[in-house]
Amino acid sequence: MNVLKSFGLFIVLIAAFFTSCEKDSMDEPAQYNPDNQVDVIEVNPLARNLTASSDFIIIDCIRIPYPVDFLQASGSTITVNNEAELDAATMLADSIVDFVYPFDVLDDDDNEITISKVDDLGTALINCASVPDPNPCAYTDAHVLLFYNAFNIFTINQ
């Protein structure tokens, strides 16, 4: 009888536990909350690491004359008129993410190219970076000459 009371108490406790909590229905999909969206900002890597001079912003073999308009992470734009303003703009919390298109650039031959989208900028960089070096061995000439002179000095002094 004592076992029956313990078993009955155990069944009552199990029934209480199963009915005390409201279960989530697994058949209903989770509610979508549009306020929980992650902001995705596309960043042009060419607009992040820029070299500046007094007259231009330089990306490899492309020169961008001042003033240059940049798009910021917040969606606003900032105009840069000189090297100091570019340094200040890169230090802002609202960082530079891309250029404002269209803009004009100059290549190595001072040809003016209009950049309408990021693909045009990439094409301009590829075109000027792929120009073959007229003297690819120029940097080795000095080393060969130095080696030759050192070899001659060594053989003359023996």
Side-chain angles (χ1 to χ4, degrees):
M1 184 79 171
N2 205 4
V3 174
L4 190 57
K5 285 184 184 180
S6 297
F7 188 67
L9 179 63
F10 180 69
I11 297 226
V12 168
L13 287 175
I14 289 176
F17 283 130
F18 280 115
T19 58
S20 65
C21 297
E22 185 177 322
K23 296 180 189 177
D24 294 333
S25 175
M26 298 306 256
D27 294 334
E28 294 177 19
Q31 295 296 322
Y32 174 71
N33 185 355
D35 295 335
N36 292 336
Q37 292 182 6
V38 177
D39 290 335
V40 177
I41 300 170
E42 290 188 31
V43 177
N44 182 352
L46 297 174
R48 298 301 298 242
N49 297 321
L50 303 170
T51 306
S53 70
S54 58
D55 298 325
F56 302 102
I57 293 176
I58 302 167
I59 305 173
D60 197 21
C61 54
I62 298 291
R63 294 170 290 150
I64 307 168
Y66 294 115
V68 180
D69 294 328
F70 290 100
L71 182 65
Q72 294 179 300
S74 65
S76 60
T77 60
I78 185 170
T79 301
V80 172
N81 295 306
N82 55 41
E83 187 176 357
E85 288 182 11
L86 178 64
D87 291 339
T90 57
M91 299 306 241
L92 293 173
D94 191 10
S95 63
I96 292 174
V97 295
D98 203 354
F99 298 96
V100 175
Y101 299 98
F103 61 95
D104 294 327
V105 300
L106 299 171
D107 64 4
D108 281 340
D109 298 326
D110 288 333
N111 297 323
E112 188 170 307
I113 304 167
T114 300
I115 305 296
S116 308
K117 56 187 177 186
V118 69
D119 296 341
D120 294 343
L121 183 58
T123 302
L125 284 169
I126 289 170
N127 288 340
C128 74
S130 63
V131 173
D133 190 0
N135 189 3
C137 297
Y139 70 94
T140 59
D141 291 346
H143 291 95
V144 171
L145 184 61
L146 179 65
F147 175 76
Y148 177 76
N149 288 338
F151 185 70
N152 277 341
I153 292 170
F154 179 72
T155 55
I156 290 171
N157 291 330
Q158 275 198 0

